[in-house]
Amino acid sequence: MEPWDVLILGSGPAGGTAAIYAARAGLKTALVSGPMPGGQLTTTGVIENFPGFPNGIQGPQFAQAVEEQARRFGAEFLFDIVSRVDLARPPFGLFSEEKEYRARALIVSTGSSPRRLGLPAERELAGRGLSYCATCDGRFFQGKQVAVVGGGDSAAEEALYLARLAARVYLVHRRDRLRAGPVLEQRVLENPKIEPRWNCVVEDLKCGAAGLEQAVLRDTRGGERREIDVQGVFVAIGHVPNSALFKDWLDLDAAGYIVTDGRTRTKIPGVFAAGDVADPHYRQAITAAGSGCMAAMEAARYLEAQAG
């Protein structure tokens, strides 16, 4: 089969935007959806902070609209899961269990996955009181009691953000002090709306008809259990970039994020990385979409230069 001009791996906001820009530029473009067509947005309730949607939009609806827009410009969507890549030279190879795909330029937009608590109720409560992003979902808990799980910079930032909205924020951490930087730690400890629960882990989540109602905490020293009434739990124990496929080919930082030059270009000419797989800082749909645009434009420039 003739190689694609641009092959995009991952179908979240970064991949979908890259598909729109690449296809609209007249490039033969395909997007391989991966294990979660539409990316993490398909598990999101209402998206209220993406420009252009004053009343918000449902995550799955947003993902579908992006796909339809990319298809209108000629992009193809391939519903497959890639298990191996060959980036030795173009056309680059991506291999699933049954198929082989080749492309002159590759955009990696495989995203990242939040570290989870590992509780049985976690899947059931996704979108019903359990969240992994305070910036995304905090507004839904205005005036309510919530808990943030974690003790690093991310957890401290989430707690401070939620303290502007929620009535009370419990900060649940397995140790007796935060791992966050001194400035963030001081802000957390001085905030009257944040109540740390030291030496505790979340052992269970209890829900009712309307969603989450209580979190069960276990003391890490004596094993005592106690319940706190919360309508929301925000898990902030880190993210894992979905970059394992590329560890033998691309430079990764200490946390596993793909290293780029700031213009989405990786160390291999013709291979670009966009969205959360290369972004340890923001992890927002709008920033992912922006980097997807950048990657597609850089891919087009690369292909033009190769054509002479």
Side-chain angles (χ1 to χ4, degrees), residues 171-234:
L171 182 55
V172 181
H173 185 39
R174 62 172 59 246
R175 297 180 176 86
D176 59 2
R177 63 169 298 170
L178 298 178
R179 292 182 291 105
V183 174
L184 280 175
E185 181 180 31
Q186 182 176 359
R187 289 176 182 169
V188 166
L189 297 178
E190 291 178 351
N191 193 305
K193 293 177 71 176
I194 300 175
E195 181 180 326
R197 291 297 178 99
W198 306 118
N199 301 300
C200 285
V201 294
V202 177
E203 190 167 80
D204 196 10
L205 299 170
K206 295 184 177 181
C207 62
L212 181 65
E213 293 183 348
Q214 289 183 324
V216 180
L217 308 184
R218 177 176 57 82
D219 191 290
T220 56
R221 300 161 301 178
E224 299 89 353
R225 289 169 175 78
R226 68 193 75 175
E227 298 173 348
I228 54 174
D229 294 331
V230 289
Q231 291 76 56
V233 168
F234 292 80

Side-chain angles (χ1 to χ4, degrees), residues 41 44-59 62 134-142 161 165 284-286:
L41 286 185
T44 302
V46 179
I47 302 168
E48 290 195 318
N49 55 3
F50 201 99
F53 300 97
N55 298 315
I57 184 172
Q58 294 287 329
F62 179 86
T135 308
C136 309
D137 301 326
R139 185 175 175 275
F140 301 115
F141 299 89
Q142 193 156 4
Y161 179 87
L165 303 167
Q284 299 295 302
I286 187 66

